[in-house]
Amino acid sequence: MVLSELELRHFRNLGIQELRFPPEGVAVIGENAQGKTNLLEAIYYLESFRSFRGAGDGELTEFARDVFHLRGSVKGDRPATVAAGFDRKRKKKRVSVDGNDSIRVSEALGRLGAVVFSPADVDLVNGGPRLRRRFLDILLSLNRRGYVGALSGYRKALAQRNAALKADAGAMAVRAWDGLLVKSGARVTRVRGEWVADRAGTFTRYCSTISGNDPVAMAYRPDVSWRGSGDGDHEGAGDRDASMPDENTIRELFHARLEESWGTDLRRGVTTRGPHRDDLRFTIASKRRTLPVRTFGSGGQRRTAALALRLTEAATIRRQRGVDPILLLDDAFAELDDRRSERVMTLLQEECTGQVILTAPKESDVRLRGPSLARWNIREGMIEA
Ligand code: ATP
Ligand code: MG
């Protein structure tokens, strides 16, 4: 896909601007704190209707303003004009696609087909499981029909069940939520598991291509686990092709886990089992051991795994939506050694032939398709094309 136009109104420090993007993309160059990441955040907002940095909508609204608006047009196989706005006072988000503003956010998701690469992605490997679940949730919300619905059903059931547990409302009030919890939770588990099973090979291939060696594996660690999904941290788990049970079986497993943990849940006043405890695990196979990348990987290996994860996301968009994703590269290769960043560039050139919108603090940091991309400068949020 190709982002052709973007209209900004009071999003962060970007003021009021109308931008026209060249079909091959652009390199946006500016010093620190000028608004480079803000611009990519604005573009990705039209894909996901949230900040890729995890900021709340209120933070995205220009200081001293109450409302921001964004509108972007994409061309390609599935052209669309997507608009979004947020009113900080009324805490109200509005979206529209091709002028239809009665569309729900969940239906408007994923119209751009964009992927962000950011230096903060290394936290996907280094950080806690919450970030990896967030990655899965965003990816699957954008690329799997029905996932958003299952996820919001699960979140609702979990919140209500936890509230009932906390309030000591009695077994009936707590258990009333088990049906929805199990049904939506099993769906979430199954979709997450399918994606990992489907894409683990691609991920490993990207890692090997970037690093030249160190086969790194990605495995799903569902809390509602099954034989071969690797409950424990036993060696070798995760690199076996674990056959995933069907959704009904996952429901039964989840029910059984809820039974087992009933006493604990009551005592702690919280639901202790379920996909809100899932994780993704990255391991390096070295000699006869498998070691977690998070604790044993070098800085470069961890960055490599994070990049490979984003490339896998791009591959998912290509496969799922049949469009070449728009790459949003936020100074993404700043910390890779030359050999690795060379290979990442090559991979990106080969695999992602679409539009590239990249940012860099200095001209000398522009490497991807360097000479061919137009240059824009950004200062205090204002872009000079
Ligand atoms: P770096 O090179 O350091 O990553 P950057 O160009 O990516 O910098 P951004 O993160 O895009 O910088 O922008 C940071 C600037 O945006 C800061 O000056 C900050 O004060 C400003 N900013 C952030 N949120 C808002 C907001 N809601 N309203 C106005 N300005 C904001
Ligand atoms: Mg930045």
Side-chain angles (χ1 to χ4, degrees):
M1 300 290 277
V2 168
L3 178 70
S4 55
E5 284 171 36
L6 179 69
E7 206 180 304
L8 302 149
R9 296 182 83 86
H10 307 303
F11 184 95
R12 296 250 199 210
N13 72 338
L14 299 171
I16 299 181
Q17 300 185 70
E18 273 180 46
L19 307 172
R20 278 172 195 283
F21 289 83
E24 62 281 0
V26 64
V28 181
I29 299 170
E31 290 176 5
N32 296 138
Q34 300 305 308
K36 300 184 297 296
T37 305
N38 293 348
L39 177 65
L40 301 185
E41 194 178 34
I43 296 170
Y44 198 73
Y45 195 92
L46 292 173
E47 168 87 346
S48 67
F49 306 111
R50 58 204 279 179
S51 157
F52 76 76
R53 299 200 248 196
D57 291 324
E59 294 169 68
L60 304 178
T61 316
E62 182 181 328
F63 303 142
R65 291 273 171 177
D66 291 324
V67 184
F68 75 74
H69 285 288
L70 298 170
R71 190 168 74 211
S73 296
V74 282
K75 293 187 173 145
D77 292 336
R78 297 162 65 182
T81 295
V82 186
F86 180 73
D87 185 327
R88 173 155 45 191
K89 274 215 179 107
R90 294 161 57 208
K91 293 202 170 63
K92 203 149 176 63
K93 174 146 53 191
R94 298 220 145 188
V95 307
S96 77
V97 175
D98 295 329
N100 171 9
D101 56 7
S102 56
I103 195 167
R104 292 212 307 251
V105 170
S106 60
E107 292 165 328
L109 289 168
R111 299 301 171 115
L112 267 53
V115 187
V116 189
F117 289 72
S118 131
D121 289 344
V122 72
D123 294 341
L124 287 170
V125 179
N126 289 342
R130 183 184 299 273
L131 292 170
R132 287 181 288 280
R133 286 192 296 269
R134 187 168 173 270
F135 167 80
L136 284 173
D137 287 342
I138 295 173
L139 173 86
L140 297 170
S141 296
L142 295 174
N143 292 291
R144 290 286 187 274
R145 286 219 159 273
Y147 187 79
V148 188
L151 188 65
S152 63
Y154 185 73
R155 287 190 174 144
K156 178 180 166 199
L158 184 66
Q160 298 286 351
R161 192 179 191 272
N162 284 344
L165 279 165
K166 205 166 177 194
D168 239 336
M172 285 271 285
V174 176
R175 289 270 160 107
W177 294 101
D178 287 11
L180 180 59
L181 191 79
V182 165
K183 182 165 174 271
S184 51
R187 181 95 208 111
V188 166
T189 301
R190 172 81 201 179
V191 177
R192 288 175 178 175
E194 275 171 358
W195 181 78
V196 176
D198 210 33
R199 291 281 138 197
T202 308
F203 171 83
T204 300
R205 185 166 56 78
Y206 285 141
C207 277
S208 306
T209 308
I210 300 168
S211 68
N213 46 29
D214 330 320
V216 176
M218 166 171 72
Y220 179 39
R221 293 304 171 112
D223 184 65
V224 177
S225 55
W226 48 86
R227 257 176 84 89
S229 68
D231 289 296
D233 279 356
H234 51 275
E235 270 186 31
D239 51 16
R240 232 177 288 125
D241 178 25
S243 63
M244 193 182 2
D246 62 24
E247 213 166 309
N248 269 330
T249 312
I250 299 173
R251 286 186 198 178
E252 282 162 25
L253 289 167
F254 195 178
H255 262 303
R257 297 297 194 288
L258 287 175
E259 287 304 325
E260 287 160 22
S261 60
W262 177 242
T264 319
D265 286 9
L266 276 182
R267 195 153 27 81
R268 296 213 208 142
V270 64
T271 305
T272 51
R273 302 303 302 268
H276 60 293
R277 307 286 300 273
D278 283 359
D279 203 355
L280 266 183
R281 193 148 181 263
F282 305 107
T283 50
I284 314 169
S286 92
K287 306 229 168 73
R288 279 169 29 246
R289 290 164 182 282
T290 46
L291 302 169
V293 179
R294 186 180 175 188
T295 40
F296 289 96
S298 72
Q301 283 173 322
R302 281 178 266 153
R303 278 191 288 275
T304 299
L307 277 165
L309 199 58
R310 290 298 183 197
L311 284 162
T312 308
E313 182 181 349
T316 301
I317 292 177
R318 268 197 307 281
R319 163 86 84 76
Q320 194 71 25
R321 298 188 231 164
V323 299
D324 212 2
I326 301 169
L327 294 184
L328 306 174
L329 308 180
D330 193 16
D331 196 15
F333 315 113
E335 291 172 274
L336 280 184
D337 67 37
D338 285 347
R339 250 176 5 136
R340 282 183 190 231
S341 58
E342 213 44 62
R343 293 199 184 106
V344 176
M345 295 305 154
T346 310
L347 256 182
L348 282 173
Q349 316 262 29
E350 285 168 1
E351 306 255 319
C352 304
T353 50
Q355 193 181 30
V356 181
I357 299 171
L358 66 81
T359 74
K362 305 187 292 289
E363 174 63 36
S364 58
D365 296 324
V366 180
R367 281 176 285 184
L368 189 77
R369 295 181 208 168
S372 68
L373 285 185
R375 300 290 194 271
W376 289 358
N377 290 305
I378 182 166
R379 245 189 105 232
E380 291 178 18
M382 288 298 132
I383 289 153
E384 261 177 60

